[in-house]
């Protein structure tokens, strides 16, 4: 895979530099070191430590790692000892006070936050941040109300009505890059796959200042519109309020809002140097075909004939291999190791063949959903499916998608054991590949969830067809997804079935042609799930530090025990590379867009150092 469209900037020969590792440092010392260090970091602000909030912190840390954003966890009390001046803001341009973990911020944190924002900082506050005192009682006025211009605690006036639920109505897509299809077509309400508009826990917040920009509303069950996401320009900085509990939601398989808010604060409002989470800083598309049953045999043949499968675009082709579908002997299966075998061979030339569950599509999913399969039976069925496919392709099966989306966490543990690295996921919809959380815990550190992109409440073309969506609308929707991943240089998964091709022939053909063109223009890559999963597993092992050497010189050091290959370092575009070295000879490539400059190498170096200077 060549870096088409990327400029070669220089070739260099490396020289070693020893880096001391710090381990087992007490928390207070670590915080002081963090705040004294010249390194740039986002601050995750905690109030008095509450054990019951640790899951929120873990969820947020997981997202920041996946976003490649350098960060540190610091207590509000430690921050109060620091002067939040321009120099401080230059090193810590974003401070995030999350739900739960920042609930009981000290009173003095209000004036501190105000000075921090006036000096140019971006403050993000979510849900109940700063709304309680040290003993957990509701405050009359929130600690951050002044700077946010929004009152998040209305207990004195509303009592039990201070907390309610609400749907999130996106008002300003120009500020919040909500993926297409994540809202309903008829309104701009955030929507989940199958569920329709999602209902979030929210505070019955009230705007207190006229200069508060409403990015999203929260609409309560009684129809009241309260601030959902707000932005306020204060001095040289920004104060942002995100009403839903971002960290809590992330830890319960609703990743998107936290990620969008982090991206707005870190990429858009501050342009913080970071590692960019897509290979070669390109848009990435996982096209996941689910090959369910005998009907797909004809459809796969048509796809091959019409060149919907073609060189250069490598989809994830997941097959349910058995000869039956609903019950043994019905002969409704794809029969990969029988009648379907020549098709599996032909498909394997264009993409990666993965697993679509345990041997028989509906038979497996119904029994799994009803709890009628033991872990040992589930494992045996998934193994049986893989064994058949591996025999044909000679390649290990390491990608999975659940038939009918039935995927209890137990299945992920089985996948882990069987050496899978990625799976199609109906939670966290609209998000990039992620190590998903469920019930406050990360489900797996090794197997990556690939959330599906939706069209409102549906995702596959079959479902669009059933909902009677016209072909022109499908065509526009698919195009919007391709444009979204290109514009945001991000990775997303879409899925459908081969027989859907017959339902929307024009939309599918146009989509394939468009994606092919974008790939040829080096604006997008279509790669299988497993490849992206391996990239992201390596990506989260990378440690990057960015530090100011002087007022115009930025130093970046990236280390990765596995390799830094393909992982882009992003700095504001006006900073030009002046020096670089690595632990082995590498060639650097760069891409530039209106906001950032991205540099990466294709060679498996383990340490890369770069120096950038502000162009005069
Ligand atoms: Zn299926």
């Amino acid at each position: 895979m060549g870096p088409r469209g990327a400029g070669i900037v220089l070739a260099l020969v490396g020289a070693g530099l020893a880096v001391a590792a710090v381990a087992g440092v007490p928390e207070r010392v670590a915080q002081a070191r963090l705040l004294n260090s010249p390194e740039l970091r986002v601050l995750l602000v905690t109030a008095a430590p509450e054990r019951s909030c640790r899951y929120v912190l873990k969820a947020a840390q997981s997202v920041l790692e996946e976003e490649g954003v350098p960060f540190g966890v610091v207590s509000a009390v430690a921050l109060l000892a620091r002067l939040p001046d321009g120099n401080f803001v230059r090193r810590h341009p974003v401070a995030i006070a999350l739900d739960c973990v920042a609930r009981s911020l000290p009173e003095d944190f209000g004036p501190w936050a105000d000075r921090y924002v006036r000096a140019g900082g971006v403050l993000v506050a979510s849900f109940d941040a700063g709304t309680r005192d040290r003993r957990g009682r509701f405050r009359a006025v929130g600690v951050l109300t002044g700077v946010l211009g929004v009152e998040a605690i209305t207990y004195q006036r509303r009592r039990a009505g201070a907390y309610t639920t609400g749907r999130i109505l996106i008002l300003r897509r120009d500020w919040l890059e909500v993926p297409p299809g994540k809202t309903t077509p008829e309104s701009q309400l955030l929507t989940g796959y199958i569920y329709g508009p999602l209902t979030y826990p929210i505070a019955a917040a009230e705007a207190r200042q006229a200069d508060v920009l409403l990015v999203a509303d929260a609409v309560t069950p009684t129809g009241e519109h309260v601030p959902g996401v707000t932005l306020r320009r204060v001095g040289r900085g920004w104060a942002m309020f995100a009403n839903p509990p971002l960290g809590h939601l992330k830890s319960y398989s609703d990743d998107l809002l936290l990620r969008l808010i982090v991206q707005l604060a870190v990429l858009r409002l501050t342009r913080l140097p970071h590692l960019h989470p897509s290979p070669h800083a390109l848009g990435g598309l996982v096209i996941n075909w689910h090959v369910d049953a005998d009907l797909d045999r004809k459809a796969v043949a048509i796809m091959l004939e019409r060149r919907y499968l073609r060189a250069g675009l490598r989809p994830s082709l997941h097959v349910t291999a058995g000869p039956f579908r609903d019950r043994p002997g019905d002969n409704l299966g794809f029969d990969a190791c029988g009648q379907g075998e020549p098709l599996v061979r032909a498909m394997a030339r264009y993409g990666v063949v993965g697993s679509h569950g345990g041997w028989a599509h509906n038979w497996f999913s119904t029994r799994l959903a009803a709890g009628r399969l033991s872990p040992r039976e589930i494992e045996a069925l998934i193994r049986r499916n893989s064994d058949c496919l591996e025999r044909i392709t000679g390649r290990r099966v390491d990608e999975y998608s659940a038939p009918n989306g039935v995927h209890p966490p137990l299945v992920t543990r089985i996948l882990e054991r069987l050496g899978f690295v990625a799976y199609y996921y109906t939670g966290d919809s609209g998000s990039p590949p992620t190590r998903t959380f469920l019930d406050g815990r990360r489900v797996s550190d090794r197997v990556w969830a690939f959330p599906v992109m939706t069209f409102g409440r549906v995702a596959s073309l079959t479902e669009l067809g059933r909902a009677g969506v016209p072909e022109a609308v499908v065509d526009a929707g698919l195009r919007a997804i391709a444009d979204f991943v290109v514009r945001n240089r991000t990775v997303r998964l879409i899925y459908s079935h081969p027989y859907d091709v017959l339902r929307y022939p024009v939309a599918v053909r146009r989509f394939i042609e468009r994606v092919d063109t974008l790939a040829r223009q080096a604006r997008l890559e279509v790669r299988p799930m497993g490849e992206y999963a391996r990239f992201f597993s390596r990506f989260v092992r990378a440690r990057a530090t960015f530090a100011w050497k002087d007022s115009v010189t930025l130093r970046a050091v990236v280390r990765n025990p596995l390799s830094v290959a393909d992982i882009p370092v992003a700095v504001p575009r006006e900073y030009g590379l002046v020096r670089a070295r690595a632990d082995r000879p590498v060639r650097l490539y760069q891409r530039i867009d209106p906001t950032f400059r991205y540099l990466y190498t294709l060679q498996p170096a383990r340490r890369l150092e770069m120096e950038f200077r502000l162009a005069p």
Side-chain angles (χ1 to χ4, degrees):
M1 171 107 356
R4 293 161 300 171
I8 299 173
V9 287
L10 74 167
L12 25 96
V13 179
L17 246 202
V19 180
V22 186
V25 187
E27 201 167 319
R28 201 182 309 164
V29 178
Q31 292 197 3
R33 200 170 283 179
L34 170 88
L35 294 172
N36 292 334
S37 148
E39 290 171 14
L40 279 77
R41 283 181 198 281
V42 165
L43 299 176
L44 274 177
V45 184
T46 61
E50 285 184 47
R51 290 195 74 81
S52 61
C53 296
R54 287 203 70 83
Y55 77 101
V56 167
L57 203 55
K58 284 193 172 149
Q61 288 171 309
S62 192
V63 167
L64 289 168
E65 279 171 22
E66 291 172 8
E67 288 292 314
V69 172
F71 69 94
V73 179
V74 64
S75 77
V77 172
L79 286 175
L80 290 179
R82 305 283 161 155
L83 185 69
D85 57 5
N87 190 31
F88 181 91
V89 165
R90 217 163 130 74
R91 286 178 292 128
H92 305 297
V94 178
I96 303 176
L98 281 178
D99 46 297
C100 202
V101 288
R103 188 154 56 197
S104 305
L105 291 172
E107 190 84 49
D108 297 348
F109 193 75
W112 187 94
D114 192 74
R115 292 183 70 171
Y116 171 74
V117 174
R118 283 179 196 285
V122 173
L123 174 78
V124 179
S126 170
F127 194 59
D128 59 358
T131 61
R132 308 241 194 149
D133 66 16
R134 207 186 322 169
R135 294 161 66 185
R137 293 172 306 201
F138 290 123
R139 291 180 179 279
V141 176
V143 162
L144 300 173
T145 303
V147 66
L148 296 172
V150 175
E151 180 57 271
I153 181 62
T154 53
Y155 180 74
Q156 283 206 332
R157 199 162 71 75
R158 297 187 185 236
R159 297 290 156 181
Y163 289 96
T164 176
T165 58
R167 294 171 167 195
I168 302 300
L169 181 68
I170 305 295
L171 303 170
R172 299 293 299 265
R173 262 192 146 104
D174 50 341
W175 284 99
L176 213 53
E177 272 273 7
V178 180
K182 184 62 189 174
T183 49
T184 48
E186 55 285 359
S187 72
Q188 296 291 315
L189 292 169
L190 279 190
T191 300
Y193 184 28
I194 300 156
Y195 299 104
L198 296 169
T199 301
Y200 293 91
I202 57 154
E206 295 168 5
R208 288 282 185 264
Q209 301 293 337
D211 60 354
V212 168
L213 171 75
L214 291 169
V215 176
D217 273 356
V219 186
T220 70
T222 60
E224 189 185 356
H225 285 234
V226 304
V229 177
T230 66
L231 263 179
R232 185 169 177 240
R233 193 83 167 123
V234 181
R236 302 173 62 191
W238 294 91
M240 192 186 333
F241 175 62
N243 194 334
L246 302 177
H248 174 82
L249 291 170
K250 160 66 197 173
S251 73
Y252 282 78
S253 276
D254 194 347
D255 167 283
L256 187 68
L257 265 178
L258 173 59
R259 209 173 280 269
L260 290 177
I261 297 290
V262 164
Q263 288 171 351
L264 172 54
V266 171
L267 306 184
R268 193 104 183 249
L269 300 177
T270 48
R271 295 199 300 146
L272 187 82
H274 61 280
L275 296 180
H276 184 82
S278 83
H280 319 133
L282 286 182
L285 209 50
V286 174
I287 303 181
N288 186 196
W289 294 103
H290 292 187
V291 182
D292 294 357
D294 67 337
L295 279 176
D296 290 298
R297 282 203 297 271
K298 187 177 149 209
V300 168
I302 290 170
M303 282 177 73
L304 287 160
E305 185 189 303
R306 295 187 189 165
R307 295 188 59 249
Y308 292 168
L309 301 177
R310 60 176 73 177
L313 306 181
R314 289 182 302 135
S316 282
L317 301 148
H318 294 184
V319 180
T320 317
F324 66 98
R325 186 188 69 188
D326 304 339
R327 64 190 62 85
D330 68 12
N331 286 323
L332 294 173
F334 189 75
D335 195 14
C337 285
Q339 298 174 73
E341 185 174 332
L343 293 168
V344 174
R345 259 180 226 294
M347 281 193 285
R349 284 204 294 272
Y350 300 100
V352 161
V353 173
S355 167
H356 189 30
W359 196 241
H361 195 270
N362 300 342
W363 178 81
F364 178 71
S365 73
T366 1
R367 288 159 63 98
L368 186 57
R372 284 168 55 206
L373 294 173
S374 71
R376 191 173 298 180
E377 287 172 305
I378 298 167
E379 184 169 333
L381 287 162
I382 294 174
R383 230 184 243 279
R384 187 173 185 192
N385 202 77
S386 295
D387 285 349
C388 157
L389 297 171
E390 285 171 4
R391 246 192 340 269
I392 303 171
T393 64
R395 188 196 170 279
R396 174 127 195 206
V397 169
D398 60 4
E399 308 180 351
Y400 182 87
S401 48
N404 296 313
V406 180
H407 191 127
L410 162 71
V411 169
T412 307
R413 284 192 287 280
I414 292 169
L415 295 179
E416 235 178 14
R417 226 173 16 245
L418 293 175
F420 282 79
V421 296
Y423 62 96
Y424 149 97
Y425 190 46
T426 55
D428 297 315
S429 68
S431 279
T434 182
R435 296 162 298 174
T436 193
F437 279 63
L438 199 62
D439 298 329
R441 271 195 224 109
R442 188 144 80 190
V443 176
S444 170
D445 295 342
R446 282 183 282 153
V447 192
W448 286 74
F450 281 64
V452 67
M453 284 288 261
T454 53
F455 302 88
R457 74 180 70 214
V458 300
S460 74
L461 300 181
T462 313
E463 297 158 323
L464 288 166
R466 271 190 217 128
V469 177
E471 186 149 24
V473 175
V474 175
D475 181 38
L478 288 170
R479 187 187 169 107
I481 290 172
D483 292 348
F484 175 84
V485 299
V486 168
R487 193 170 61 247
N488 292 284
R489 300 175 186 276
T490 185
V491 179
R492 290 294 192 279
L493 173 141
I494 58 166
Y495 101 97
S496 261
H497 311 87
Y499 55 73
D500 294 332
V501 166
L502 310 173
R503 202 183 290 257
Y504 289 116
V506 178
V508 172
R509 181 176 50 74
R510 286 171 55 116
F511 177 67
I512 297 291
E513 294 297 343
R514 173 152 184 82
V515 164
D516 196 9
T517 305
L518 289 168
R520 285 169 197 283
Q521 293 168 345
R523 295 166 70 194
L524 171 148
E525 293 176 324
V526 178
R527 300 169 70 176
M529 246 184 228
E531 277 189 31
Y532 280 117
R534 276 182 281 275
F535 170 81
F536 285 115
S537 285
R538 209 155 47 72
F539 184 88
V540 295
R541 295 282 302 276
R543 291 289 167 266
T545 57
F546 299 91
W548 296 109
K549 196 171 161 188
D550 56 51
S551 63
V552 292
T553 314
L554 184 66
R555 204 162 161 266
V557 182
V558 189
R559 295 181 214 102
N560 191 327
L562 301 171
S563 149
V564 301
D566 311 325
I567 299 176
V569 172
V571 298
R573 71 164 284 159
E574 62 274 20
Y575 285 82
L577 183 71
V578 288
R579 196 167 299 136
R581 69 181 172 163
D583 63 334
R584 51 166 288 170
V586 297
R587 178 175 282 188
L588 288 178
Y589 299 89
Q590 78 171 344
R591 294 181 198 283
I592 305 177
D593 68 19
T595 35
F596 285 105
R597 178 187 303 273
Y598 307 87
L599 285 127
Y600 62 91
T601 176
L602 303 177
Q603 284 91 16
R606 280 186 239 159
R607 207 196 57 254
L608 186 56
E609 298 180 25
M610 288 181 268
E611 214 167 275
F612 300 90
R613 195 165 299 151
L614 183 63

